[in-house]
Amino acid sequence: MIDHAASLLGKNRSGFMLEAACECAHVAVHDHPLFTLDADKFQQFLDLLDAPPASNSGLERLFALKAPWDQA
């Protein structure tokens, strides 16, 4: 199957496999963003994650609406 797919794209097996591996690596790296913080900023980040959510009246109105498929 790999040889057939490679030939459909005009590639040899090695080129096809290398391209497939690079695409997979690209997806893996971009699906796991990395950012670094110093100790103070990291603590601020954790505090924000642990804080209760702020009131959001627009979101509360949205959740109070019935879904169109439930309105019958």
Side-chain angles (χ1 to χ4, degrees):
M1 183 185 297
I2 291 171
D3 289 338
H4 180 64
S7 69
L8 289 173
L9 297 175
K11 300 177 186 278
N12 61 29
R13 181 187 306 167
S14 297
F16 179 82
M17 295 298 291
L18 180 60
E19 185 175 322
C22 287
E23 287 178 22
C24 186
H26 180 82
V27 168
V29 168
H30 285 88
D31 280 351
H32 294 90
L34 173 68
F35 60 96
T36 57
L37 301 171
D38 63 31
D40 291 335
K41 292 292 183 190
F42 183 64
Q43 188 57 53
Q44 289 176 4
F45 177 69
L46 291 179
D47 292 342
L48 287 170
L49 289 176
D50 290 337
S55 178
N56 185 327
S57 60
L59 195 56
E60 290 170 11
R61 282 194 310 275
L62 177 65
F63 285 145
L65 295 175
K66 287 192 111 180
W69 52 85
D70 289 336
Q71 296 177 5

